């Protein structure tokens, strides 16, 4: 197995669970017996120092990727995915006009996730690459996405709750309850965007940060993650979510080539079954700086908003 694939399978924060799932299946276990409904991120990251960080622009080349129609997908399920068929099937996501009520909910299952500290970002860590300081954790990135969405005409609620603090292991259960409460209060919400940052660590301890230069600015790459029913939980319309992610990935890379990492398809649902437009988005990794993440978040938000505004009823 190529080194980069080993790195992703073994050490990426949200992808390590897949390796355990695959190992269980290799021993003859059923997927639903080895994969939790909502997979949790690894918590044993090592302290990050600048000498351990290496820049990496991640593309869809190499084994394990499916590429078609300008789309790149890393398929971590047992499903065979025809990207052309998914694109043709499309997404039924639609919004009422902004005046009718909130259209998009931005939230964070792992709200304490944060970025590499340097002299300009000396926040106090709550854990490795985590902090409850919302000026420096992933909540700040959500603020930026919400700002751009609203600037472009979408009606947004940003849930700034730290669902992973003080207890981390039940974050997805707590987040689901939070999402359901918002949907009950605001039935006009048709999209839930769960914003995270990734963590990519090599077997030698190297921290890889997904980054590229856009207009002279170091910008964190952005990855969309789509869940499925492969873990045994009901999620019949996951293909529509993938179709939506494909549209957003195309928009990102048409405006800013290389901004989008390959979409990742996973076995668990990640609470995406709750609305037609739910997606998980990874803005950079724990090796990126906050400024790089904010730069990526702004470009992602402008790309995604263009796609979403086309789905507003006229």
């Amino acid at each position: 197995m190529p080194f980069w694939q080993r790195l992703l399978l073994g050490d990426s924060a949200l992808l390590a669970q897949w390796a355990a799932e695959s190992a269980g299946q290799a021993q003859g276990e059923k997927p639903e017996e080895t994969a939790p409904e909502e997979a949790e991120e690894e918590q044993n990251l090592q302290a990050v120092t600048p000498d351990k960080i290496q820049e990496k622009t991640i593309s869809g080349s190499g084994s394990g990727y499916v590429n078609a129609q300008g789309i790149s997908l890393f398929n971590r399920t047992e499903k065979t995915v025809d990207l052309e068929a998914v694109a043709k099937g499309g997404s039924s996501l639609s919004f009422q006009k902004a005046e009718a009520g909130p259209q998009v909910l931005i939230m964070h299952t792992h709200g304490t996730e944060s970025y590499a500290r340097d002299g300009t970002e000396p926040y106090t860590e709550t854990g490795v690459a985590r902090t409850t300081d919302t000026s420096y954790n992933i909540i700040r990135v959500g603020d930026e996405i919400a700002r751009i969405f609203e600037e472009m005409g979408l009606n947004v609620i940003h849930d700034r709750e730290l669902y992973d603090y003080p207890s981390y292991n039940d974050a997805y259960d707590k987040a689901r309850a939070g999402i359901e409460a918002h949907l009950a209060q605001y039935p006009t919400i048709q999209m839930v965007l769960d914003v995270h940052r990734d963590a990519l660590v090599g077997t030698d301890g190297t921290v890889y940060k997904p980054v590229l230069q856009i207009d002279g600015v170091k910008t964190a790459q952005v990855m969309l993650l789509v869940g499925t029913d492969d873990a045994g939980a009901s999620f019949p319309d996951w293909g529509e979510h993938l179709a939506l992610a494909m549209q957003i990935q195309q928009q990102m890379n048409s405006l800013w080539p290389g901004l989008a990492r390959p979409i990742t398809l996973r076995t668990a649902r990640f609470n995406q079954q709750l609305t037609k437009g739910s997606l998980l988005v990874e803005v950079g990794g724990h090796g990126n700086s906050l400024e790089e993440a904010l730069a990526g978040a702004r470009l992602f938000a402008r790309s995604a908003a263009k796609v979403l505004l086309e789905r507003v009823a006229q």
Side-chain angles (χ1 to χ4, degrees):
M1 183 181 292
F3 168 77
W4 183 244
Q5 191 173 355
R6 290 203 311 272
L7 178 144
L8 285 172
L9 298 186
D11 297 291
S12 177
L14 275 173
L15 302 181
Q17 181 68 35
W18 180 87
E21 294 167 11
S22 297
Q25 291 170 31
Q27 298 171 10
E29 299 176 13
K30 295 179 182 179
E32 58 266 33
E33 293 174 344
T34 59
E37 180 176 323
E38 314 294 1
E40 292 289 352
E41 180 180 331
E42 292 289 322
Q43 298 187 63
N44 56 350
L45 294 175
Q46 300 300 309
V48 179
T49 56
D51 60 295
K52 292 182 179 180
I53 298 174
Q54 182 174 319
E55 297 182 1
K56 177 79 175 181
T57 300
I58 303 173
S59 63
S61 60
S63 61
Y65 292 95
V66 180
N67 296 280
Q69 296 186 325
I71 296 298
S72 183
L73 175 76
F74 209 162
N75 184 1
R76 298 183 176 278
T77 74
E78 294 298 313
K79 298 182 180 297
T80 299
V81 180
D82 183 334
L83 293 179
E84 294 184 4
V86 172
K88 185 176 180 180
S91 165
S92 62
L93 174 67
S94 63
F95 299 104
Q96 298 182 41
K97 293 182 178 180
E99 294 79 11
Q103 299 157 307
V104 178
L105 170 64
I106 297 171
M107 50 76 63
H108 312 269
T109 299
H110 297 145
T112 64
E113 290 176 336
S114 60
Y115 296 90
R117 293 189 297 174
D118 60 27
T120 63
E121 293 148 10
Y123 65 85
T124 300
E125 286 189 317
T126 308
V128 175
R130 292 187 178 86
T131 182
T132 57
D133 188 338
T134 57
S135 294
Y136 295 101
N137 63 22
I138 197 67
I139 304 295
R140 175 67 184 87
V141 174
D143 288 338
E144 196 71 359
I145 295 172
R147 182 183 70 82
I148 298 294
F149 275 9
E150 290 171 346
E151 180 181 287
M152 294 184 69
L154 291 167
N155 191 333
V156 179
I157 289 179
H158 183 200
D159 181 348
R160 305 175 85 251
E161 181 74 21
L162 299 178
Y163 289 109
D164 63 340
Y165 186 83
S167 174
Y168 186 89
N169 290 332
D170 56 354
Y172 274 99
D173 289 336
K174 292 192 294 184
R176 182 169 60 251
I179 293 168
E180 289 172 340
H182 284 295
L183 296 178
Q185 185 175 1
Y186 302 106
T188 51
I189 293 173
Q190 297 300 308
M191 180 182 204
V192 177
L193 196 64
D194 188 1
V195 182
H196 296 245
R197 62 105 180 101
D198 206 350
L200 300 170
V201 186
T203 54
D204 62 353
T206 299
V207 174
Y208 292 88
K209 68 171 179 176
V211 70
L212 75 165
Q213 291 270 351
I214 296 180
D215 296 330
V217 177
K218 279 192 176 183
T219 303
Q221 286 184 289
V222 178
M223 183 185 79
L224 292 166
L225 186 150
V226 179
T228 69
D229 55 6
D230 241 24
S234 177
F235 191 8
D237 61 352
W238 65 266
E240 293 193 36
H241 297 248
L242 178 56
L244 177 63
M246 289 165 58
Q247 286 186 310
I248 295 173
Q249 186 192 64
Q250 284 179 319
Q251 185 69 249
M252 277 195 283
N253 282 339
S254 67
L255 295 172
W256 297 284
L259 173 64
R261 288 171 56 187
I263 297 165
T264 293
L265 192 67
R266 287 289 308 275
T267 62
R269 299 185 301 179
F270 299 97
N271 290 329
Q272 292 175 12
Q273 77 280 3
L274 298 176
T275 71
K276 287 287 186 182
S278 294
L279 294 172
L280 190 153
V281 57
E282 301 266 12
V283 181
H286 73 308
N288 288 100
S289 69
L290 177 61
E291 289 306 312
E292 291 167 349
L294 291 173
R298 284 189 285 270
L299 300 187
F300 161 76
R302 294 194 181 282
S303 304
K306 286 179 179 289
V307 173
L308 300 181
L309 288 168
E310 293 175 354
R311 296 176 174 274
V312 177
Q314 301 301 314

